[in-house]
C-alpha cells in the first residue's frame, strides 16, 4: 500500500514502484519535498531523524542521498523522535525536516513525515504543492561541485531534555523528592533511548524497563491502546510502580497506566496537563474535534476560551495561532 497525503507519504516496504513505499517512491517524494522546501525558504538545509524501524536505515540512506543530490545539506539526528526533530528544525535554521516513521503503524510500514521551516507539519496547501512537484517530476539535481554535505548530530537528545527541564512548570525537585517508581514500555523503538534519559534527568531512580532495545522488532501492536498494553499493566502491578508510561515508535503518542494497572486514558492526559498548566498560566486552549468536552470545562473553569480544530496536528497548530 502507498498512501500519498498532504502530511507526507506512507506505505508498506517492498512491492512494485507506486504500489508500496519502494526506493523509487522514496527518491521521488524526497526530491519533490526538498525542491519545494528550498524554493519556499531560500535555505539549503534539511534536518532528518528516524524511529528504530527495521527499514529505517535503508529509507534514511535514500533520503540523505537524494537531498545531497539536490544540493541540500543534511543534518542527520539518527535515531530520534518526532518531537525532537520538530524542535531541531528551527534551532538549526533549516528549510524543513523529514521524520522517517510510520508512527504507530506495524513494522512493515514506514513513512516520510514532512515539516516546514518552523518545525511544524506542512499545511494542506504546501502538501498539495509537494504532491504536484512529485507528479510532474519537476526537480533538477545539482552538479558535482554543488552536492549537499551530511552532518551527523547526536546532541539533540540532551538539547531537547534541557528545553524540558527549563520549562517553569516542570518541578524537578518535587519529582525527585517523590521517589517515584516508574514502568515504561517503549515498543523497541527510539523511546527506549529518550524516555529513560528524560526520567533520569528528572531525578527518577527506579525505572522498570520493557522493550527499550531500539531494534524495530515491535513486541506487540505499537498503537498504545489498552488491548496492546497487558504486559506493562502487569509490570506496574507486580512492582507496585506509581505510574506506567507507554510511547509509540516515534514517541509522539503517550499513554499512562495507573498504579493498579488500569489505563489513565489519552483523553485524561490532555485534561490533567491542561488543568495543571492553566492553574499557573491561564489562557486559551485548542484541541481537535475528537477530544473530550472536559477540556472545554477545565479551560472555562480557569477563565479561558476553548476552541475545537479539525483533526490533524497542522489544523490544531493553526487554530492555536488564531486564538
Amino acid at each position: 500500500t502507498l498512501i500519498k497525503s498532504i502530511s507526507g507519504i506512507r506505505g508498506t516496504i517492498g512491492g512494485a514502484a507506486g504500489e508500496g513505499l519502494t526506493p523509487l517512491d522514496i527518491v521521488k517524494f524526497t526530491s519533490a519535498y526538498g525542491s519545494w522546501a528550498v524554493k519556499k525558504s531560500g535555505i539549503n538545509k534539511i534536518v532528518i531523524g528516524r524511529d528504530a524501524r527495521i527499514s529505517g536505515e535503508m529509507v534514511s540512506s535514500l533520503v540523505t542521498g537524494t537531498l545531497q543530490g539536490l544540493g541540500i545539506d543534511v543534518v542527520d539526528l539518527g535515531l530520534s523522535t518526532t518531537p525532537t526533530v520538530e524542535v531541531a528544525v528551527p534551532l538549526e535554521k533549516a528549510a524543513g525536516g523529514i521524520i522517517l516513521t510510520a508512527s504507530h503503524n506495524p513494522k512493515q510500514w514506514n513513512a516520510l513525515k514532512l515539516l516546514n521551516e518552523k518545525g511544524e507539519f506542512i499545511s494542506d496547501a504546501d502538501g498539495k504543492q509537494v504532491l504536484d512537484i512529485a507528479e510532474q517530476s519537476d526537480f533538477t539535481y545539482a552538479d558535482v561541485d554543488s552536492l549537499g554535505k551530511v552532518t551527523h548530530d547526536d546532541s539533540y537528545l540532551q538539547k531537547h531534555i534541557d528545553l524540558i527541564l527549563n520549562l517553569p512548570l516542570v518541578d524537578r525537585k518535587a519529582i525527585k523528592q517523590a521517589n517515584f517508581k516508574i514502568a515504561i514500555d517503549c515498543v523497541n523503538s527510539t523511546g527506549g533511548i529518550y524516555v529513560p534519559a528524560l526520567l533520569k534527568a528528572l531525578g527518577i531512580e527506579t525505572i522498570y524497563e520493557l522493550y527499550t532495545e531500539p531494534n524495530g522488532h515491535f513486541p506487540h501492536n505499537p498503537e498504545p491502546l489498552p488491548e496492546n498494553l497487558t504486559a506493562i499493566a502487569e509490570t506496574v502491578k507486580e512492582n507496585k510502580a506509581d505510574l506506567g508510561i507507554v510511547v509509540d515508535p516515534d514517541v509522539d503518542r503517550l499513554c499512562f497506566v495507573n498504579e493498579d494497572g488500569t489505563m489513565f486514558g489519552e483523553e485524561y492526559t490532555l485534561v490533567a496537563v491542561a488543568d495543571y498548566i492553566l492553574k499557573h498560566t491561564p489562557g486559551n486552549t485548542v484541541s481537535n474535534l475528537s477530544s473530550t468536552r472536559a477540556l472545554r470545562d477545565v479551560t472555562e473553569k480557569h477563565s479561558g476560551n476553548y476552541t475545537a480544530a479539525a483533526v490533524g496536528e497542522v489544523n490544531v497548530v493553526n487554530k492555536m495561532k488564531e486564538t
Side-chain angles (χ1 to χ4, degrees):
T1 311
L2 185 66
I3 299 165
K4 304 163 198 173
S5 76
I6 52 158
S7 58
I9 170 176
R10 64 191 160 103
T12 49
I13 296 297
E19 289 174 17
L21 189 64
T22 71
L24 281 176
D25 295 295
I26 294 163
V27 169
K28 178 170 140 183
F29 285 95
T30 302
S31 299
Y33 166 75
S35 305
W36 167 83
V38 170
K39 193 174 174 186
K40 185 166 192 272
S41 65
I43 303 165
N44 245 25
K45 179 167 37 163
I46 286 178
V47 177
I48 67 168
R50 67 181 180 93
D51 70 13
R53 286 171 188 273
I54 300 164
S55 61
E57 209 168 308
M58 180 271 286
V59 176
S60 180
S61 302
L62 288 162
V63 167
T64 302
T66 303
L67 293 172
Q68 281 184 281
L70 288 162
I72 299 171
D73 293 333
V74 178
V75 179
D76 182 0
L77 308 190
L79 290 171
S80 191
T81 76
T82 286
T84 309
V85 179
E86 290 175 330
V87 160
V89 169
L91 289 176
E92 286 291 327
K93 300 185 171 60
I98 306 178
I99 308 149
L100 315 177
T101 174
S103 203
H104 55 265
N105 287 348
K107 70 173 184 180
Q108 66 270 32
W109 288 80
N110 212 328
L112 312 181
K113 280 188 180 178
L114 309 176
L115 306 175
N116 65 17
E117 77 285 0
K118 299 193 182 93
E120 304 158 358
F121 284 113
I122 63 174
S123 70
D124 195 1
D126 290 342
K128 287 194 174 95
Q129 277 187 348
V130 172
L131 291 176
D132 280 348
I133 294 167
E135 224 36 65
Q136 313 293 329
S137 291
D138 184 12
F139 30 79
T140 311
Y141 297 102
D143 65 33
V144 71
D145 294 318
S146 312
L147 296 174
K149 294 181 179 55
V150 182
T151 314
H152 296 277
D153 188 339
D154 60 5
S155 67
Y156 275 93
L157 168 64
Q158 194 54 50
K159 284 176 183 164
H160 196 167
I161 287 173
D162 291 343
L163 286 168
I164 294 166
L165 297 179
N166 288 332
L167 291 168
L169 296 182
V170 173
D171 191 340
R172 196 172 169 184
K173 195 171 160 202
I175 295 168
K176 191 172 169 58
Q177 281 172 346
N179 219 1
F180 291 126
K181 297 191 293 187
I182 295 190
I184 60 174
D185 172 354
C186 301
V187 65
N188 283 342
S189 190
T190 52
I193 304 167
Y194 278 69
V195 176
L198 174 60
L199 292 176
K200 285 167 188 160
L202 289 167
I204 290 162
E205 282 164 25
T206 309
I207 305 171
Y208 305 105
E209 297 190 8
L210 277 184
Y211 316 130
T212 52
E213 185 63 46
N215 58 22
H217 293 283
F218 305 147
H220 55 77
N221 181 320
E223 187 161 13
L225 298 172
E227 59 267 28
N228 301 329
L229 304 179
T230 49
I232 186 155
E234 281 307 308
T235 301
V236 167
K237 286 189 292 190
E238 271 168 28
N239 294 287
K240 297 189 168 57
D242 299 289
L243 180 70
I245 295 175
V246 184
V247 290
D248 69 340
D250 65 322
V251 203
D252 67 351
R253 286 274 297 275
L254 170 71
C255 178
F256 289 133
V257 181
N258 298 317
E259 71 279 9
D260 62 357
T262 59
M263 298 299 135
F264 185 64
E266 288 185 88
E267 290 294 357
Y268 286 122
T269 307
L270 189 66
V271 176
V273 170
D275 193 35
Y276 174 68
I277 289 177
L278 293 171
K279 195 187 301 173
H280 297 280
T281 51
N284 300 331
T285 62
V286 173
S287 72
N288 70 36
L289 286 163
S290 72
S291 302
T292 167
R293 152 81 195 273
L295 186 64
R296 178 189 294 265
D297 297 344
V298 163
T299 306
E300 288 171 357
K301 180 183 88 176
H302 292 295
S303 311
N305 294 316
Y306 166 81
T307 318
V311 174
E313 188 167 330
V314 65
N315 299 317
V316 176
V317 168
N318 290 339
K319 190 61 78 177
M320 285 165 68
K321 290 177 175 177
E322 274 172 43
T323 62

